[in-house]
Amino acid sequence: MSEVIVCAEPETKDEAAEFVSRLGGRPHARSMRSSSRVLRKVQRLLVYLKGTEPSSSLKACLRQISRDKTLNVVIYSLSTNDQRAAELGRIVGEFRPRRTHICFDSEKVGQILRLKPESVKTHALVDAATAVRSSPEAVAKLRKELNLTQVDFANSLGITPRTVQNWEVGAFAPTRQLRDLRELRDLLTNYIQSNQLSAWIDTPNEAFHNVTPRELIREGKTRDLILEFRRMQSGEPL
């Protein structure tokens, strides 16, 4: 089994290690800012990004390994959009343009790192490592943390309220379908105090063209909301 250095934020290190294990690698987890402490003779490194990490973390990681010309590096991002791809491309170009690959496809990660799963060699197996199906409790918790009704939740995903009800009482929901809502939840945790969320989500906001965040979510524009938050990560208040 091939050894892989796995760099991730503390809260996602276990998830990242499991992801590599499912791909057929033997993970050695490191934090994003301690990747210089690599293992000798290990030539594969995976940077695991959920999309909520500050760009400074990735820069710090690549800066530490920039002089290692033998290391084959893959940056895997769960957040997939043109802006994200452009941002990662700029960072890689600045700090480590050679032997560094940007991937949004888990199967491609395995191919680049030349890993072989021990059993089923399918994308579905890799998805299992990243909780491709969310439990009923997790779905209900996510919806309530965002202060959304079942109708809001359904509209945001383009599904029926009955489907949401089924997810919350027993059926397992596809995690990939919930990715944007989870990312928004993580951002709100950093920007909005929990006791202020109910007021914020129903208040028209100039940053969002004077519509309420709830309206954007209902219209399926959660990604637009996320991108606006990213623009404000410099510290500008909402």
Side-chain angles (χ1 to χ4, degrees):
M1 184 179 289
S2 301
E3 293 183 302
V4 181
I5 302 162
V6 183
C7 295
E9 293 287 56
E11 62 271 17
T12 57
K13 279 202 298 185
D14 290 343
E15 179 181 312
E18 179 65 16
F19 173 80
V20 168
S21 294
R22 292 287 184 176
L23 283 172
R26 179 179 298 166
H28 298 278
R30 299 285 188 274
S31 71
M32 298 282 281
R33 297 179 182 277
S34 65
S35 53
S36 59
R37 303 172 188 173
V38 298
L39 302 176
R40 293 182 179 180
K41 299 183 180 180
V42 177
Q43 297 181 340
R44 299 171 177 86
L45 185 145
L46 174 74
V47 181
Y48 187 90
L49 303 174
K50 295 201 73 169
T52 56
E53 303 86 354
S55 59
S56 58
S57 292
L58 177 58
K59 291 178 181 179
C61 177
L62 294 181
R63 186 180 293 112
Q64 293 178 71
I65 61 173
S66 61
R67 295 183 180 180
D68 191 332
K69 307 302 182 183
T70 64
L71 201 60
N72 192 20
V73 178
V74 173
I75 298 172
Y76 174 62
S77 175
L78 289 171
S79 177
T80 58
N81 58 72
D82 292 342
Q83 181 173 341
R84 179 64 166 168
E87 178 189 15
L88 293 178
R90 287 194 296 270
I91 294 173
V92 169
E94 180 180 356
F95 291 94
R96 198 179 193 274
R98 294 186 179 181
R99 296 179 65 84
T100 301
H101 311 267
I102 300 171
C103 286
F104 299 97
D105 186 316
S106 55
E107 190 171 359
K108 188 69 173 177
V109 173
Q111 293 173 0
I112 295 173
L113 294 179
R114 298 181 181 180
L115 304 177
K116 296 180 180 180
E118 293 181 351
S119 54
V120 183
K121 300 179 182 180
T122 63
H123 188 72
L125 177 62
V126 177
D127 283 337
T130 53
V132 70
R133 304 195 72 80
S134 295
S135 69
E137 295 80 6
V139 174
K141 184 173 183 289
L142 174 63
R143 179 178 64 79
K144 292 174 182 177
E145 286 175 337
L146 290 170
N147 201 40
L148 299 176
T149 67
Q150 289 182 337
V151 173
D152 295 335
F153 205 82
N155 288 345
S156 73
L157 299 173
I159 59 177
T160 66
R162 175 56 63 89
T163 298
V164 176
Q165 292 171 12
N166 290 339
W167 285 353
E168 293 190 1
V169 298
F172 280 74
T175 289
R176 184 169 298 179
Q177 202 166 349
L178 305 178
R179 185 175 295 168
D180 283 351
L181 290 173
R182 289 184 186 277
E183 185 174 347
L184 177 62
R185 185 270 315 276
D186 292 341
L187 283 169
L188 291 179
T189 300
N190 295 326
Y191 280 95
I192 309 295
Q193 294 183 7
S194 58
N195 61 355
Q196 297 177 349
L197 179 59
S198 58
W200 175 83
I201 200 167
D202 288 314
T203 301
N205 195 308
E206 290 183 4
F208 309 132
H209 308 291
N210 290 317
V211 300
T212 69
R214 187 186 300 276
E215 288 175 297
L216 287 175
I217 294 171
R218 281 175 176 168
E219 294 172 5
K221 296 180 179 178
T222 304
R223 175 53 53 182
D224 293 346
L225 201 56
I226 291 170
L227 293 178
E228 191 61 31
F229 267 105
R230 296 294 184 202
R231 187 183 68 79
M232 297 176 179
Q233 279 192 316
S234 60
E236 178 183 344
L238 294 176

